[in-house]
Amino acid sequence: MNERVEPATLQTGQAILPQASAGIAGAQGAPLPAEHPPVRWGRVGVLLMNLGTPEGTSYWPMRRYLKEFLSDRRVIEVPRLIWWPLLNLIILTKRPGPKGRDYASVWNNERDEGPLKTITRGQCEKLQAAMGDSVVVDWAMRYGKPEVSLRIQALLDQGCERILLVPLYPQYAAATSATACDQAFKALMQMRWQPTVRVSPPYHDDPVYIEAIARSIREGLAKLDFEPEVILTSFHGVPKSYLLKGDPYHCQCVKTGRLIREALGFSPERMRVTFQSRFGNEEWLKPYTDETVQALARSGVKRLAIVAPGFTADCLETLEELDGENRHYFEENGGEHFAYIPCLNDSDLGMRVIEHIVRRELQGWV
């Protein structure tokens, strides 16, 4: 049947029988033939998309995840003739073990999954509760599971003929937002009947986002038993060559950092922008977070805090790298008091931002 599914009538897993279509009118009021294939339509879907996480911390799950991630040409732009042997003969042989141990240090053992998956699921569930029956909310990962293509199909199966794609990256980068959309577009290329699709834009300077980050920092600082001399706003880095090729990521990160600093009333000396997580020998965006942390400690700074406003959910790069590695760098070089202020995650502040973005981009649809 050609069934228009009203928000309050759809139940997950509800069966639609082809023979029930006899005598049911189509979208234009014309009766459909009894043999018409079952079709659901009339709903709006929202798909939250984040980076991804391995399915386990042992060698082979880590290898599969790293292979998918590091094979993405949006992420690694090194010519294939050079990169393929490096990746398959060296990196994927040596890196899964140490990286798996890093993931194990932040792993959600109760659910047997990475924290990024736990938090993104929570964001999806809370957004669904906030939106009610007006939309169907789902979530997917660019690398690993749940797969983008399968979740788009799941939304279609529930009658979603319009879908809003929401890359959970405040700042746009080809290696994050673009590659997430690439996966969605690849799925659409295989569909005879594509849904109508919108993509939410980056929100690096959105006032609701800036205020949420600023408030989370205020609340985080209020909980400390010391006052930081310096606060670093650490963003994930990318190779400098990506900036020179026209990627707007660096400019958007710097603007986010400035707006947060101005909202808090801090000086440029007290609140600084840095970039973390570089990989390989190529020059990346500077200043580097780890080098800045060590230099501050050596210069006599004793009290330091770090926040990661470019991440919508805590993950390996924040929990293990910032709160773990950089804490050690600071203390080993003379620092005494260190604090990592968590991401917005699925907190009330975090959900206020996501819901604001989604409702804004759904205008005209719901």
Side-chain angles (χ1 to χ4, degrees), residues 2-276:
N2 195 9
E3 179 198 21
R4 181 179 180 87
V5 183
E6 297 298 333
T9 65
L10 179 63
Q11 300 295 326
T12 303
Q14 174 182 350
I16 304 296
L17 301 178
Q19 60 267 29
S21 63
I24 300 295
Q28 305 302 321
L32 297 174
E35 67 274 11
H36 193 282
V39 176
R40 284 171 166 172
W41 63 284
R43 300 209 73 185
V44 173
V46 174
L47 185 64
L48 305 179
M49 299 188 294
N50 217 321
L51 184 74
T53 181
E55 292 301 299
T57 61
S58 60
Y59 180 85
W60 289 108
M62 283 303 312
R63 182 185 172 99
R64 284 192 293 272
Y65 174 74
L66 290 172
K67 184 179 177 99
E68 183 181 10
F69 176 52
L70 296 175
S71 295
D72 187 344
R73 298 195 181 198
R74 291 276 199 187
V75 175
I76 305 294
E77 297 185 5
V78 176
R80 296 294 99 178
L81 287 177
I82 298 174
W83 182 242
W84 192 96
L86 282 175
L87 175 63
N88 289 276
L89 301 179
I90 300 176
I91 296 172
L92 292 180
T93 299
K94 297 182 177 181
R95 198 167 176 82
K99 211 64 181 174
R101 290 190 288 273
D102 290 343
Y103 269 97
S105 70
V106 300
W107 202 249
N108 182 340
N109 293 312
E110 182 179 350
R111 285 182 174 266
D112 191 25
E113 63 187 20
L116 185 64
K117 183 174 287 189
T118 303
I119 295 167
T120 307
R121 181 191 297 107
Q123 291 168 331
C124 173
E125 292 171 351
K126 290 185 177 182
L127 181 62
Q128 182 68 80
M131 301 298 295
D133 291 332
S134 62
V135 300
V136 181
V137 183
D138 209 332
W139 61 286
M141 296 293 183
R142 167 60 182 91
Y143 311 103
K145 299 178 181 179
E147 299 172 24
V148 172
S149 60
L150 296 181
R151 300 329 300 164
I152 289 179
Q153 187 60 55
L155 289 172
L156 288 172
D157 292 343
Q158 295 179 78
C160 297
E161 58 181 347
R162 301 182 184 191
I163 298 176
L164 172 66
L165 304 176
V166 185
L168 291 173
Y169 309 103
Q171 297 78 26
Y172 173 93
T176 54
S177 303
T179 191
C181 291
D182 286 346
Q183 282 297 98
F185 300 152
K186 286 178 183 178
L188 297 177
M189 289 173 65
Q190 307 302 316
M191 296 177 180
R192 178 169 295 277
W193 186 357
Q194 295 178 336
T196 299
V197 171
R198 288 178 178 174
V199 179
S200 66
Y203 50 95
H204 63 285
D205 57 357
D206 188 283
V208 174
Y209 161 68
I210 297 299
E211 173 53 30
I213 293 290
R215 183 174 168 185
S216 74
I217 294 174
R218 290 191 201 99
E219 294 176 352
L221 294 177
K223 296 176 182 177
L224 302 179
D225 59 0
F226 67 93
E227 184 176 352
E229 299 164 74
V230 178
I231 302 169
L232 299 183
T233 51
S234 181
F235 295 87
H236 200 293
V238 297
K240 181 180 178 180
S241 61
Y242 296 9
L243 165 65
L244 300 179
K245 292 175 182 177
D247 199 303
Y249 179 71
H250 176 266
C251 298
Q252 293 185 4
C253 290
V254 171
K255 185 175 184 181
T256 295
R258 175 178 60 80
L259 291 174
I260 294 171
R261 176 175 55 77
E262 291 174 351
L264 292 168
F266 293 153
S267 68
E269 291 72 29
R270 188 178 183 200
M271 192 166 209
R272 313 179 190 184
V273 169
T274 60
F275 296 90
Q276 65 181 87

Side-chain angles (χ1 to χ4, degrees), residues 226-229 296-297 299-304 330 333-338:
F226 67 93
E227 184 176 352
E229 299 164 74
L296 286 170
S299 72
V301 171
K302 300 299 183 183
R303 304 182 305 277
L304 177 69
F330 187 65
N333 288 276
E336 296 177 358
H337 299 281
F338 178 97

